[in-house]
């Protein structure tokens, strides 16, 4: 799959299936043994969820998927991205590395998992949420990860409808 989180061993799409469809396998195409890209894009569109990389150029320092050995050569220009998408009010960073990149651009300390942080990037105010990694190497059950993401999406939706 030429999209975010294509690896079967990463639980991101299983977690999203749990959060939005109450089924960890809702976005899995068992017949073709891969995630269902059309279903994923439909879910993201229906819920107004955008995904992007925090590292535009990266270097893997070891031959594994661990963010611990990932060097960010060129981070995303969040000020430019947010200026072109003013409706974004919440950023959910999947894991410590992504959260640290956003926090650095906002000039704030990397938040703890589950503790939202109000911040500003350029002229844009937003809430930064550090979410648990969906890597299976991160020692937290899928259902617990899904609980964190449910809270994040509920918080983002609540502020969107109130504000």
């Amino acid at each position: 799959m030429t999209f975010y989180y294509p690896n079967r061993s990463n639980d991101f799409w299983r977690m999203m299936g749990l959060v939005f469809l109450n089924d960890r396998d809702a976005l899995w195409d068992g017949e073709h043994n891969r995630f269902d890209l059309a279903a994923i894009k439909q879910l993201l569109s229906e819920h107004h969820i955008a995904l992007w990389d925090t590292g535009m150029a990266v270097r893997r320092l070891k031959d594994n998927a661990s963010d611990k050995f990932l060097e960010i050569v060129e981070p995303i220009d969040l000020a430019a991205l947010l200026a072109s998408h003013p409706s974004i009010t919440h950023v959910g960073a999947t894991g410590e590395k992504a959260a640290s990149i956003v926090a650095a651009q906002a000039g704030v300390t990397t938040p703890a998992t589950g503790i939202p942080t109000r911040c500003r990037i350029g002229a844009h105010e937003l809430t930064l949420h550090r979410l648990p990694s969906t890597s299976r190497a991160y020692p937290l059950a899928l259902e617990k990860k899904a609980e964190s993401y449910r809270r994040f999406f509920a918080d983002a939706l609540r502020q969107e409808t109130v504000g």
Side-chain angles (χ1 to χ4, degrees), residues 20 47-48 87 89-90 114-116 118 127 129 147-163:
F20 290 100
H47 295 282
H48 307 281
S87 65
T89 58
H90 290 259
I115 308 296
R118 295 285 299 154
T127 303
H129 302 255
E147 285 176 28
S148 291
Y149 282 79
R150 267 192 200 98
R151 283 192 301 275
F152 162 66
F153 288 115
D155 187 36
L157 180 59
R158 185 174 38 258
Q159 276 202 345
E160 214 172 86
T161 57
V162 172

Side-chain angles (χ1 to χ4, degrees), residues 5-57:
Y5 302 102
N7 192 325
R8 289 179 288 186
S9 67
N10 188 291
D11 280 331
F12 186 83
W13 298 119
R14 287 179 185 85
M15 181 274 311
M16 293 292 278
L18 275 175
V19 169
F20 290 100
L21 304 165
N22 293 314
D23 179 359
R24 67 180 282 144
D25 294 319
L27 301 171
W28 180 252
D29 177 357
E31 181 181 338
H32 296 100
N33 201 28
R34 63 181 180 213
F35 291 107
D36 183 340
L37 184 55
I40 287 168
K41 287 184 175 183
Q42 180 179 342
L43 179 137
L44 296 173
S45 179
E46 284 174 8
H47 295 282
H48 307 281
I49 298 169
L51 302 176
W52 69 87
D53 292 315
T54 54
M56 303 315 295

